[in-house]
Amino acid sequence: MGFAIPEKMLAWRLYGEGMENFGDNDRPCEGPVPEIRDDELLVRIDAIGLCFSDVKLIRAGEAHPRVISKNLRKDPIIPGHEAVMTVVKVGSKLTGKFHVGQRYIIQADIYVNGKGFAYGYAIDGGMAQYSVLDQRVLNGDEGCYLLPISDSMPSAVAALLEPWTCVRAASHISHRTAPADDGSLLLVTEPGSRKLYRAGELFRNRKRVVAVNFSAAARRALEEELGTAVTAQNELPSGEAFDDIVCVDLQDRTLGEQAIALAGDHAVVTFFGNCGSGSWAVDVGALHYKNRFYQGVPAGTLDA
């Protein structure tokens, strides 16, 4: 089986935030069909689903957390992650692993050495007639991110598989109900606080505990209860991500926003006691992209 591959193709490129930077004068861009290396695939895009994430990407531009380009004007991206594709050209090193005519959808959440290279955000996506799939897609942290589909499945139906699995997953995703095993804990309270707090049983034997703005007496009480050394300091740590963060009677909005920005992937952020009545700027996208969870408790122990 062979496919006639044209010299040129159409693609929707994103050059920055806003619809005015999507495409060339509100039209798709015309350019050459890309050549592939010997360890890459060229695929034809047969159908593409439109997701609200695409809208967020266009609105945010470089500020979107999945975009790795620092300057979309010079290094634009082709959006589109709900793609249905057919292999039309196989690199010489992939002969026997892939063949022309195979049909796939793609698991767009691609990771290589722990770094995200999402298809349609960091890797050119499916809003084009043709797309190159490199080793990030074919040999990432989870292996190959292509999912085969049968020849009998219509492309329009296949394009709905990704959003449908998102709907299914929403009813099955569970969040932690206890601190991360052998995890790290950040406790942050108001500068000058002299209050003592009960930590609770769940926070015992943490790998690392950092308490910011806790008095010497509060630190000693925590160490006795937790059975773990507590690092007390008056400033937030830098360059470190925590599994669990507890904002303790913290009303300083700026300090609070800086503290919760230290949450790692799958982190749980707890607002304990009186954390003020104003609005805090929270990375809402991290609920989805980093699977963070936010909760609040008025009183009790810090692990409530």
Side-chain angles (χ1 to χ4, degrees):
M1 180 188 297
F3 293 91
I5 302 174
E7 293 183 0
K8 294 185 177 182
M9 70 173 191
L10 298 177
W12 285 97
R13 295 190 180 277
L14 181 64
Y15 295 99
E17 64 178 67
M19 286 295 297
E20 65 274 17
N21 289 307
F22 187 42
D24 288 346
N25 298 318
D26 298 328
R27 298 178 62 84
C29 318
E30 185 178 60
V33 174
E35 294 293 331
I36 61 170
R37 297 185 175 92
D38 54 11
D39 61 350
E40 298 176 339
L41 298 177
L42 180 67
V43 297
R44 183 188 66 201
I45 303 300
D46 299 321
I48 184 76
L50 297 179
C51 176
F52 192 75
S53 293
D54 297 316
V55 177
K56 292 189 290 184
L57 170 61
I58 294 170
R59 287 177 175 175
E62 293 98 339
H64 194 285
R66 287 189 168 181
V67 172
I68 62 174
S69 173
K70 302 302 182 183
N71 187 335
L72 286 173
R73 175 56 54 184
K74 295 182 178 180
D75 181 26
I77 189 69
I78 299 174
H81 59 279
E82 297 177 0
V84 183
M85 55 193 68
T86 299
V87 177
V88 295
K89 193 172 183 179
V90 179
S92 59
K93 289 185 178 180
L94 299 177
T95 302
K97 295 181 179 179
F98 298 93
H99 63 262
V100 170
Q102 286 179 308
R103 302 177 70 225
Y104 294 99
I105 58 174
I106 188 167
Q107 205 301 79
D109 207 8
I110 294 162
Y111 286 89
V112 179
N113 297 324
K115 182 178 179 180
F117 292 94
Y119 184 73
Y121 300 86
I123 298 173
D124 281 341
M127 290 188 188
Q129 291 177 295
Y130 292 87
S131 185
V132 173
L133 306 181
D134 60 22
Q135 285 295 299
R136 293 174 294 181
V137 178
L138 305 178
N139 192 27
D141 289 352
E142 302 295 329
C144 182
Y145 286 84
L146 296 179
L147 305 173
I149 57 175
S150 68
D151 291 339
S152 62
M153 179 175 289
S155 295
V157 173
L160 296 174
L161 292 176
E162 195 272 352
W164 175 241
T165 54
C166 289
V167 173
R168 288 288 304 274
S171 63
H172 293 284
I173 293 174
S174 59
H175 294 284
R176 282 196 281 116
T177 57
D181 292 337
D182 195 32
S184 56
L185 167 65
L186 175 65
L187 304 169
V188 186
T189 191
E190 285 284 299
S193 173
R194 292 294 181 266
K195 292 183 180 180
L196 301 182
Y197 294 94
R198 292 289 310 279
E201 291 295 321
L202 293 178
F203 280 140
R204 288 186 61 81
N205 301 315
R206 298 291 89 201
K207 176 179 65 177
R208 174 162 163 74
V209 179
V210 177
V212 177
N213 294 328
F214 279 66
S215 66
R219 178 189 61 81
R220 288 193 298 268
L222 287 173
E223 286 186 332
E224 291 177 3
E225 187 177 1
L226 295 176
T228 302
V230 175
T231 300
Q233 52 194 64
N234 295 324
E235 294 183 353
L236 291 171
S238 62
E240 186 173 358
F242 289 84
D243 300 303
D244 291 279
I245 296 176
V246 184
C247 297
V248 186
D249 289 324
L250 181 58
Q251 299 187 48
D252 185 330
R253 170 180 169 176
T254 300
L255 179 60
E257 291 173 351
Q258 292 172 346
I260 61 179
L262 299 177
D265 293 355
H266 307 284
V268 173
V269 178
T270 302
F271 300 95
F272 179 93
N274 182 7
C275 288
S277 58
S279 298
W280 289 18
V282 175
D283 183 0
V284 178
L287 292 169
H288 175 53
Y289 301 124
K290 296 184 179 297
N291 197 29
R292 291 180 188 164
F293 182 73
Y294 298 86
Q295 63 183 359
V297 60
T301 57
L302 299 180
D303 64 354

